[in-house]
């Protein structure tokens, strides 16, 4: 069948990174509008890149291939919510690595009569996912084995489940079935700040700890210093997290590494406002925001966007500290999201889980993709 007959096509694209950043690749497939025919396939190993870069590269390759077969209308289907929402114009493109890729894709889009975007679960994107994993495996010199797809996690690499039995001696706690040595994240929320005293939205603003906040950081540090398994301290770039991490660093003699993806939610126009003030200033948006993780504060970011970068932070931590115990000093939203990822539960946890200032939670992530939560909101050391 000639390409002229395919003026309307479906593009499915996927990208992944083993380590995020790590060895990356993409896959893209162009299908006839009725899905009866594969018109083109594209796949390429990218060297070291992030998941989101690989996802965008997959989209660009798919759009280029669609143009090559003469398509005029394109229905894009991807499991990367970030790419879909940014290309649809519903989310802002803020990350400097994403801006040129978004522009390149947008330039290709202008060459078509119509392009639509649809987010799909990972299980429905298996063709493009297979292509992406084939090139990543080839680059690593690995033979591709059949995979079992776990619950969808937009922009994350596909997890490959181990066939090891539950009774493995190195297995996870309880009946999780996870095997291998986990990367254990000790999730420490920062101490009190002036904004937390007044219960104001505190995102990208940069208040320092109060006197009580410094005492809380010191108490948390003394508690954690009793452990003998801490291999690293990683913190959000914001001052309140850096101060809290610094108290522990001084106790145990480890440096503090900074991971930008651990920063708190950008609350935009609500920064510094109380709950009541934000609700009065933007009643409709605030009401929707309280129940919909895709809704962002004015000039801010949604919890869905924060989840994408927190997921990236988790992959970086696992890649850099596999099998080790890491203290992660961050904020309430990133901690809730890391617990959500470990529990594999829905977004309601963001609205129902309470985490105190300077509280400690523990999540473990296993090399076979399993996870467990061992502790949530421990604060006993603050009251001694």
């Amino acid at each position: 069948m000639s390409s002229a007959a395919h003026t309307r096509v479906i593009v499915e694209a996927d990208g992944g990174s083993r380590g995020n950043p790590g060895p990356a690749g993409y896959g893209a497939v162009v299908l006839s509008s009725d899905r009866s025919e594969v018109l083109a396939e594209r796949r390429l190993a990218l060297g070291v890149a992030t998941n989101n870069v690989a996802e965008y590269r997959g989209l660009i390759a798919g759009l280029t291939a669609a143009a090559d077969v003469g398509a005029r209308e394109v229905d894009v289907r991807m499991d990367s919510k970030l790419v879909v929402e940014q290309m649809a114009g519903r989310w802002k493109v803020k990350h400097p690595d994403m801006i040129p890729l978004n522009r390149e894709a947008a330039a290709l889009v202008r060459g078509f009569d119509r392009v639509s975007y649809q987010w799909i679960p990972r299980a429905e994107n298996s063709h493009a996912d297979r292509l992406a994993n084939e090139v990543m495996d080839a680059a690593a010199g690995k033979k591709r084995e059949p995979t079992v797809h776990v619950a969808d996690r937009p922009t994350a690499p596909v997890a490959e489940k181990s066939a090891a039995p539950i009774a493995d001696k190195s297995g996870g706690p309880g009946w999780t079935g996870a095997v291998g040595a986990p990367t254990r994240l000790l999730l420490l929320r920062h101490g009190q700040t002036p904004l937390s005293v007044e219960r104001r939205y505190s995102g990208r603003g940069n208040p320092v700890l109060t006197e009580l906040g410094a005492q809380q950081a010191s108490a948390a540090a003394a508690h954690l210093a009793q452990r003998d398994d801490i291999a690293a301290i990683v913190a959000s770039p914001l001052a309140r997290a850096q101060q809290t991490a610094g108290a522990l660093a001084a106790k145990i003699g480890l440096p503090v590494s900074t991971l930008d993806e651990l920063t708190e939610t950008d609350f935009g126009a609500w920064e510094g406002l109380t709950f009541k003030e934000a609700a009065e200033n933007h009643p409709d948006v605030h009401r929707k925001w309280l129940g919909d993780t895709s809704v962002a504060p004015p000039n801010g970011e949604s919890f869905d966007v924060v989840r994408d970068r927190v997921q990236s932070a988790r992959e970086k931590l696992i890649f850099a500290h596999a099998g080790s115990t890491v203290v992660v000093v961050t904020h309430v939203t990133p901690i809730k999201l890391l617990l959500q990822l470990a529990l594999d539960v829905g977004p309601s946890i963001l609205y129902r889980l309470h985490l105190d200032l300077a509280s400690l939670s523990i999540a473990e992530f296993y090399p076979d993709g399993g996870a467990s939560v061992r502790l949530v909101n421990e604060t006993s050391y603050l009251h001694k």
Side-chain angles (χ1 to χ4, degrees):
M1 191 175 291
S2 69
S3 62
H6 296 290
T7 57
R8 181 178 178 183
V9 301
I10 295 169
V11 167
E12 294 180 354
D14 195 20
S17 171
R18 308 278 172 78
N20 201 27
Y26 67 71
V29 58
V30 181
L31 304 167
S32 57
S33 59
D34 63 358
R35 305 184 63 84
S36 65
E37 185 177 359
V38 175
L39 306 177
E41 289 183 338
R42 300 288 187 271
R43 72 195 88 182
L44 183 68
L46 297 172
V48 176
T50 65
N51 282 329
N52 290 333
V53 167
E55 295 277 11
Y56 258 112
R57 285 296 177 196
L59 171 62
I60 290 167
L63 291 172
T64 301
D68 290 344
V69 302
R72 300 306 309 158
E73 297 183 21
V74 182
D75 297 313
V76 174
R77 294 160 49 89
M78 298 182 68
D79 60 46
S80 169
K81 191 162 183 70
L82 179 136
V83 174
V84 167
E85 296 297 321
Q86 288 184 348
M87 289 302 300
R90 292 185 289 267
W91 289 1
K92 293 182 179 179
V93 185
K94 296 182 178 181
H95 196 287
D97 290 344
M98 299 301 106
I99 292 172
L101 294 171
N102 178 268
R103 289 174 178 169
E104 185 176 351
L108 289 167
V109 167
R110 288 192 289 271
F112 298 99
D113 295 333
R114 181 189 63 81
V115 177
S116 68
Y117 303 93
Q118 180 187 358
W119 177 85
I120 57 174
R122 185 175 298 279
E124 295 181 21
N125 200 26
S126 58
H127 191 143
D129 170 78
R130 174 176 56 79
L131 296 175
N133 277 283
E134 282 174 356
V135 294
M136 285 188 285
D137 287 341
K142 292 171 57 180
K143 180 181 178 181
R144 181 70 177 154
E145 299 293 338
T147 62
V148 176
H149 295 279
V150 296
D152 174 70
R153 292 177 175 87
T155 75
V158 173
E160 297 187 5
K161 288 293 187 179
S162 169
I166 289 177
D168 188 280
K169 293 182 178 179
S170 60
W175 297 323
T176 66
V179 297
T183 303
R184 181 174 292 117
L185 304 184
L186 309 182
L187 306 171
L188 179 63
R189 188 184 176 195
H190 62 78
Q192 185 192 75
T193 72
L195 288 180
S196 56
V197 171
E198 299 178 4
R199 300 182 64 82
R200 295 181 179 274
Y201 284 102
S202 181
R204 299 298 179 83
N206 213 15
V208 297
L209 299 180
T210 62
E211 182 178 349
L212 175 58
Q215 293 172 2
Q216 292 171 334
S218 179
H223 175 70
L224 288 169
Q226 298 176 44
R227 303 182 65 109
D228 61 3
D229 62 341
I230 296 173
I233 306 171
V234 182
S236 154
L238 297 178
R240 54 195 185 272
Q242 290 285 320
Q243 283 183 269
T244 303
L248 176 61
K251 281 276 189 184
I252 64 176
L254 286 176
V256 177
S257 299
T258 299
L259 190 55
D260 289 343
E261 289 91 336
L262 292 172
T263 195
E264 181 58 289
T265 307
D266 184 350
F267 290 113
W270 299 345
E271 181 71 27
L273 300 183
T274 64
F275 184 95
K276 180 180 179 181
E277 290 168 343
E280 290 174 346
N281 289 353
H282 304 97
D284 291 339
V285 176
H286 197 266
R287 183 175 60 255
K288 293 176 182 176
W289 177 79
L290 288 172
D292 187 343
T293 56
S294 70
V295 175
N299 301 315
E301 62 181 346
S302 70
F303 287 140
D304 283 351
V305 173
V306 181
R307 187 181 189 276
D308 278 343
R309 60 175 169 79
V310 168
Q311 186 161 263
S312 173
R314 181 194 64 167
E315 299 304 326
K316 287 183 179 180
L317 290 166
I318 292 172
F319 181 74
H321 305 287
S324 300
T325 297
V326 183
V327 177
V328 178
V329 186
T330 181
H331 313 268
V332 64
T333 307
I335 292 175
K336 287 183 178 181
L337 287 166
L338 286 164
L339 293 173
Q340 180 194 16
L341 290 168
L343 292 169
D344 194 19
V345 295
S348 62
I349 190 173
L350 296 171
Y351 306 101
R352 298 182 181 181
L353 179 62
H354 176 79
L355 296 175
D356 288 300
L357 291 161
S359 64
L360 178 67
S361 301
I362 301 177
E364 296 178 333
F365 297 95
Y366 288 78
D368 72 340
S372 63
V373 171
R374 285 186 174 268
L375 182 69
V376 176
N377 201 41
E378 167 67 15
T379 59
S380 61
Y381 47 83
L382 300 178
H383 310 293
K384 292 181 180 180

